[in-house]
Amino acid sequence: QVQLVESGGGSVQPGGSLRLSCAVSGATSSTNCMAWFRQAPGKEREPLAGIYRGDGGTHYVDSVRGRFTISQDNAKRTVFLQIDSLQPEDTATYYCAAGPRFPFCMLGTRADTSDWGQGTQVTVSS
């Protein structure tokens, strides 16, 4: 059974950086694709970035390209999301997710995104 556990969230000032981690256990072919999403209060959940665990290929939504970086460790047991130049609008709960096909796990649908973490809170304020 796949388990995804996020960590690394917290409170930061505007302009700061955070690196979120997602520990992956029980990995199978259902975790070929890993993705990060976020959901701000009163807003819909949105995809941010995805990574293909086989060769590390990545995909970003246009709104975060250049400021967010998704990566994985060499053992492929942890997926990271580096967030730079944090702004108050980045305040949200950030979720790690997995699915069998890259980059379709970024869709967030039941068919394409089979497993979710519990989320980690990021708050950006001065």
Side-chain angles (χ1 to χ4, degrees), residues 31-124:
T31 60
N32 285 339
C33 175
M34 298 292 298
W36 285 95
F37 294 73
R38 70 183 178 187
Q39 187 166 20
K43 295 187 177 181
E44 292 189 356
R45 184 179 59 202
E46 60 174 336
L48 303 171
I51 188 167
Y52 175 52
R53 299 182 71 218
D55 64 6
T58 59
H59 182 76
Y60 298 90
V61 298
D62 289 343
S63 60
V64 305
R65 193 183 305 273
R67 199 163 60 88
F68 287 36
T69 305
I70 190 170
S71 62
Q72 63 181 352
D73 67 340
N74 290 337
K76 300 180 183 178
R77 293 178 181 173
T78 306
V79 176
F80 305 100
L81 184 69
Q82 175 74 31
I83 312 174
D84 297 319
S85 301
L86 279 156
Q87 299 301 317
E89 53 265 34
D90 294 317
T91 295
T93 302
Y94 285 70
Y95 297 93
C96 175
R101 298 183 304 151
F102 175 80
F104 300 103
C105 68
M106 294 179 64
L107 294 175
T109 62
R110 182 172 294 183
D112 295 293
T113 313
S114 51
D115 296 282
W116 294 86
Q118 294 300 306
T120 186
Q121 178 67 37
V122 173
T123 302
V124 186

